[in-house]
């Protein structure tokens, strides 16, 4: 069984493509450097050169674009095991920037090492391709939701996505997860102001959909919340109500092999 800092990354890719044990082992010995960054730190800017493949090992980060006015739009959330910029392997540069939404640890794998491994192992190349394609599909959903559905539905969608992704990754229990985002961060991710996010969170609580304690969110009514968000969990590897049982079973099964 593979262990070590790259374990979650390898197992997440294994959810998309049936990688063999030799593929997993090969990923486990990739060289990397660790970067520790505090909350709010910009790790790299949009359109910057990429000389490493960046993987989140601890905390929560987000990709972003920023206009001349300074207004920021978060385009993707990166939890533990996620690649920070899937397209960097092919492009050699970062289409978006990366900011730490909490204290984070980032593993920086030399880009050439990832490319060499991809050439040597076709299944790993396929998994990285799928990862990039999934990222593009997620961005398309974000753009589609940005004005089509109201702010309360966009925030609900964000909470549904985090709940499912954390469950599949084994980082949440039952219907509860840690929300490592400020209301300003949520606003940047959903195209809302922090004041409006505060009102939306209150409305979700008042309607019995969620409960919050500190930085923890508990979903009280998954059916109601996911219906409000028009949320489809299928792209995240699950098809059941919140339980993410299918994804968890595949993850734990792969970990035990």
């Amino acid at each position: 069984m593979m262990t070590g800092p790259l374990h979650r990354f390898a197992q997440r890719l294994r959810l998309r493509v049936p990688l063999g044990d030799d593929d997993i082992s090969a990923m486990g010995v990739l060289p990397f450097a660790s970067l520790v960054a505090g909350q709010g730190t910009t790790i790299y800017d949009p359109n910057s050169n990429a000389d490493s493949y960046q993987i989140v090992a601890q905390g929560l980060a987000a990709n972003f674009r920023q206009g001349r006015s300074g207004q920021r739009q978060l385009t993707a959330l990166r939890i533990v095991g996620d690649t920070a910029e899937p397209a960097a392997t092919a492009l050699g540069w970062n289409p978006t920037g990366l900011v730490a939404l909490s204290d984070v640890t980032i593993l920086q794998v030399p880009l050439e090492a990832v490319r060499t491994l991809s050439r040597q192992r076709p299944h790993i190349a396929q998994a990285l391709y799928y990862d990039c394609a999934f990222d593009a599909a997620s961005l398309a959903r974000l753009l589609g939701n940005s004005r089509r559905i109201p702010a309360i539905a966009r925030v609900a969608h964000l909470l549904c996505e985090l709940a499912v992704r954390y469950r599949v990754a084994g980082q949440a229990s039952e219907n509860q997860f840690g929300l490592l985002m400020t209301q300003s961060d949520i606003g940047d991710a959903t195209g809302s102001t922090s004041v409006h996010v505060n009102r939306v969170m209150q409305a979700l609580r008042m309607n019995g959909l969620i409960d919050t304690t500190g930085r923890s969110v508990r979903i009280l009514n998954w059916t109601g919340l996911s219906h409000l968000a028009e949320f489809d969990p299928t792209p995240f590897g699950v098809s059941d109500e919140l339980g993410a049982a299918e994804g968890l079973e595949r993850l734990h099964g792969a970990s035990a092999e």
Side-chain angles (χ1 to χ4, degrees), residues 168-234:
V168 170
Q171 299 171 44
S173 59
E174 297 301 326
N175 57 350
Q176 189 165 337
F177 62 93
L179 184 62
L180 304 179
M181 302 176 70
T182 65
Q183 290 187 348
S184 179
D185 293 334
I186 296 173
D188 287 346
T190 59
S192 305
T193 65
S194 57
V195 173
H196 196 50
V197 169
N198 184 48
R199 295 195 191 106
V200 164
M201 294 295 284
Q202 288 182 25
L204 293 175
R205 288 192 293 266
M206 290 177 60
N207 283 280
L209 299 177
I210 67 168
D211 188 23
T212 58
T213 304
R215 304 193 77 178
S216 177
V217 173
R218 187 160 68 97
I219 296 179
L220 304 177
N221 182 350
W222 171 256
T223 300
L225 188 69
S226 59
H227 179 74
L228 171 64
E230 300 182 30
F231 180 73
D232 178 11
T234 307

Side-chain angles (χ1 to χ4, degrees), residues 18-216:
L19 299 173
D21 291 341
D22 54 341
D23 292 322
I24 298 294
S25 298
M27 282 192 285
V29 296
L30 281 168
F32 65 86
S34 294
L35 170 69
V36 178
Q39 180 182 7
T41 301
T42 297
I43 298 167
Y44 57 78
D45 292 315
N47 304 321
S48 58
N49 290 330
D51 57 8
S52 63
Y53 192 75
Q54 315 228 16
I55 300 164
V56 180
Q58 184 176 356
L60 178 68
N63 295 109
F64 72 93
R65 297 288 300 183
Q66 198 159 8
R68 292 178 181 176
S69 65
Q71 187 173 6
R72 184 179 70 173
Q73 171 71 51
L74 300 185
T75 59
L77 300 178
R78 305 302 186 188
I79 69 173
V80 172
D82 280 352
T83 309
E85 193 73 72
T89 307
L91 298 175
W93 55 280
N94 299 303
T96 61
L98 186 71
V99 61
L101 300 187
S102 70
D103 293 345
V104 299
T105 300
I106 305 292
L107 306 182
Q108 299 177 312
V109 182
L111 210 55
E112 193 51 45
V114 177
R115 289 170 172 166
T116 298
L117 187 63
S118 297
R119 288 192 292 266
Q120 294 172 345
R121 296 187 173 274
H123 287 160
I124 291 179
Q126 183 184 19
L128 296 178
Y129 169 78
Y130 279 9
D131 201 35
C132 191
F134 174 80
D135 205 53
S138 296
L139 181 58
R141 284 195 300 274
L142 174 68
L143 293 173
N145 288 343
S146 61
R147 291 292 180 265
R148 185 180 60 83
I149 61 178
I152 190 170
R154 297 197 298 271
V155 173
H157 193 283
L158 178 72
L159 297 178
C160 288
E161 176 185 337
L162 285 173
V164 167
R165 289 176 63 191
Y166 278 134
R167 284 295 301 274
V168 170
Q171 299 171 44
S173 59
E174 297 301 326
N175 57 350
Q176 189 165 337
F177 62 93
L179 184 62
L180 304 179
M181 302 176 70
T182 65
Q183 290 187 348
S184 179
D185 293 334
I186 296 173
D188 287 346
T190 59
S192 305
T193 65
S194 57
V195 173
H196 196 50
V197 169
N198 184 48
R199 295 195 191 106
V200 164
M201 294 295 284
Q202 288 182 25
L204 293 175
R205 288 192 293 266
M206 290 177 60
N207 283 280
L209 299 177
I210 67 168
D211 188 23
T212 58
T213 304
R215 304 193 77 178
S216 177

